[in-house]
Amino acid sequence: MPGSLSPIDKAKFAAAKRATQFVESGMRVGLGTGSTAAWLVRCLGEMVRDEGLQIKGVPTSSRTAKMAREVGIEVISLDEAKWLDVTIDGADEFDADLTLIKGGGGAHLQEKIVATASDKMVVIADLSKKVETLGAFPLPIEVIPFGWQTSKTLVEELLIGMDVLGREVNLRMDGDRPFVTDEGNHILDLHLRRIGNPRQLSLVLNQVPGVVENGLFIDICDAVVIGHGDGKVEVFDITEGTNDVTRFDILDDDNLFSDLTD
Ligand code: 5RP
């Protein structure tokens, strides 16, 4: 990423930088997946290297595991960690209740397990992820490869009775092949446009044979850190009932993460 940062990258960086304040030495930290979470991993790596921060990281994907190791974060499995102090991850959408859509990067299965095994889940995002009603972003569901077309048909049938606006279901592709998750599964993207009742939908989707997990995160996220292109950062903590605003000076030549590719 040569040259100066785009406003969206500045927003993601600012959110990630602010979210590092949730992390203290000695903590076991869930590390999310995606371009925003990648900023966090790099920021934490810098703190490990320059400030002696001592953490154990539990990555939510093979991509994040690789990056965490590269920047010097000690990586352990969730089974080794057993329970985490905090998980920090991106999101595709969040609403006022901090209900999320995740899985744009195809990692929501591990992400949901890791976030649920954490005292606190913090989402880092730019303002574009904030929505009044979830559903403009296609809802991902992970399905096992065996009989995935049957699972797809069953999902399409159940959507008829759900409070949604769209009902198109697409198999996610990676070029000319189906996308394959870290668990060797596929992803169906549900183009729902508006999700009237996320809780009901989440329960019903997970009853379909072949569906492993859907990308709705309900009652899991505790706080959201929203970054802006000018360095402003808002933190809305739903469990603490707090809302604060800070600002980071991001210089155009502040190109710490020039090799960031995620
Ligand atoms: C991956 C995810 C990501 O957190 C989500 O897609 C947001 O990614 P980005 O920060 O790149 O916008 O759920 O499965």
Side-chain angles (χ1 to χ4, degrees), residues 114-146:
V114 169
T116 304
S118 305
D119 281 340
K120 193 173 185 83
M121 183 202 190
V122 178
V123 156
I124 48 178
D126 61 85
L127 193 58
S128 69
K129 307 295 182 67
K130 184 178 180 180
V131 297
E132 206 157 299
T133 307
L134 297 167
F137 192 91
L139 175 68
I141 59 175
E142 182 155 342
V143 293
I144 67 164
F146 177 85

Side-chain angles (χ1 to χ4, degrees), residues 38-255:
W39 288 103
L40 174 87
V41 171
R42 290 303 174 108
C43 287
L44 289 175
E46 193 181 46
M47 291 165 71
V48 167
R49 199 173 60 238
D50 298 345
E51 297 168 26
L53 178 74
Q54 292 190 342
I55 55 168
K56 294 181 196 299
V58 174
T60 51
S61 64
S62 50
R63 270 174 287 160
T64 299
K66 182 170 177 286
M67 179 177 283
R69 287 194 182 95
E70 279 170 5
V71 300
I73 297 173
E74 181 182 345
V75 168
I76 60 171
S77 69
L78 181 58
D79 287 333
E80 285 170 305
K82 295 189 176 61
W83 195 257
L84 305 178
D85 297 284
V86 64
T87 285
I88 304 174
D89 199 350
D92 298 301
E93 284 186 351
F94 65 89
D95 69 8
D97 298 327
L98 304 193
T99 298
L100 317 174
I101 288 183
K102 287 186 52 56
H108 66 271
L109 173 56
Q110 288 190 24
E111 290 171 336
K112 196 181 272 193
I113 296 170
V114 169
T116 304
S118 305
D119 281 340
K120 193 173 185 83
M121 183 202 190
V122 178
V123 156
I124 48 178
D126 61 85
L127 193 58
S128 69
K129 307 295 182 67
K130 184 178 180 180
V131 297
E132 206 157 299
T133 307
L134 297 167
F137 192 91
L139 175 68
I141 59 175
E142 182 155 342
V143 293
I144 67 164
F146 177 85
W148 70 264
Q149 298 192 52
T150 302
S151 301
K152 177 173 180 282
T153 304
L154 291 169
V155 167
E156 285 163 346
E157 281 171 4
L158 81 77
L159 286 178
I160 293 167
M162 292 289 116
D163 182 8
V164 294
L165 266 187
R167 295 188 171 79
E168 190 184 321
V169 179
N170 294 329
L171 178 69
R172 189 179 297 181
M173 301 299 287
D174 181 9
D176 55 2
R177 289 163 186 241
F179 177 88
V180 178
T181 68
D182 274 353
E183 276 69 37
N185 295 320
H186 297 324
I187 300 276
L188 299 177
D189 289 308
L190 280 47
H191 296 257
L192 308 174
R193 288 162 48 206
R194 180 186 172 281
I195 301 174
N197 190 337
R199 198 174 293 274
Q200 179 195 37
L201 182 65
S202 176
L203 284 172
V204 170
L205 283 172
N206 281 10
Q207 300 302 313
V208 174
V211 172
V212 185
E213 191 53 80
N214 71 79
L216 284 165
F217 283 46
I218 300 170
D219 299 335
I220 295 176
C221 178
D222 299 288
V224 63
V225 181
I226 307 167
H228 298 257
D230 62 357
K232 183 178 128 185
V233 186
E234 299 168 80
V235 182
F236 175 51
D237 192 319
I238 206 165
T239 45
E240 307 284 334
T242 56
N243 201 350
D244 81 46
V245 179
T246 45
R247 190 176 290 277
F248 290 97
D249 286 329
I250 305 170
L251 306 173
D252 265 344
D253 58 357
D254 198 359
N255 207 1

